[in-house]
Amino acid sequence: MSELSRRNLLKLGLGAAAVSAIGNVRAENKKIPIGLQLYSIREVIQKDIPGHFKQLKEMGYEGVEFAGFYGFDNKAAELRKMLDDAGLKCCGSHSGYNTFKGAALPKAIEFHKTIGNNYINVPGISFPNAEGWENFAKEMTEIAEKLKPEGMHCGYHAHGGDFKKMGDSTPWDIFFTKAGQDVCMQLDTGNSAGAGVDPIAYLKKYPGRTLTIHIKGNGGIVGEDKLDWKTIIDLCRTISKTEWFIVEEEGGKEKSMDTVKRALDNFKKLLSA
């Protein structure tokens, strides 16, 4: 670990013991692949899915995270072939809770294994009280236990409303305090910062749980915004145990391919800074 990275971690309040526990990991050299959340190009990709996959690979993306399956919900093998032909991996999905809970789970496991997806994330959900969030945490913990032997994970993705006060806590904290360690925290840097909370604080608060993270700017495209990317990247490479960076831009319209290329180019510069 470089002295700069060591100083950064100490400044975060992790302490010398925590830094030492990271061992000899050279955080600045850890290679974490970069994928794209396909919601970023939602209005263009359906015109030519294989063609857009190939363009993303040519840009330098290594994987894609799905937000819906464009009519291929029962055609996993066809979807996998498109990914393989483009040289992309599936780095996750945003899947409605009903698609993989209860009796739906075996079919979901088969589908996601076929497309090569190990990360099934609920994109958003709402409950009127803490009890609802606690029950959701219990159910997701049970699902995570069933997915673990398959080498798969389930998790929950951040939106701004998850950080609003609910009693003495927030839905996000109620959920992740009650959920088991194997339930992943898919933090979204832009959504959390936009809600007035510090994404760095949450990476520190729940170490080892951010296996995939949404890379989204706050106040501009990633790399042209206000976030402390150096610290976020350091934490992802060390205590967060992040396995995929997933770029997301909210645009989705005709020029979105240009936008996601710019975001990727910016983020790669941040990774090597």
Side-chain angles (χ1 to χ4, degrees), residues 37-38 65-73 79 93-96 111:
Q37 165 51 250
L38 291 174
E65 181 182 56
F66 288 93
F69 297 103
Y70 315 112
F72 288 86
D73 304 70
L79 202 56
S93 71
H94 277 190
S95 298
F111 177 89

Side-chain angles (χ1 to χ4, degrees), residues 6 25 29 49 71 94 98 103 106 140 150 153 185 192-193 225 227 230 244 260:
R6 183 177 296 273
V25 176
N29 292 329
I49 297 171
H94 277 190
N98 289 334
M140 287 288 280
E150 308 290 341
H153 310 273
M185 180 182 81
S192 55
D225 66 326
L227 289 176
K230 173 61 179 170
W244 278 92
V260 298

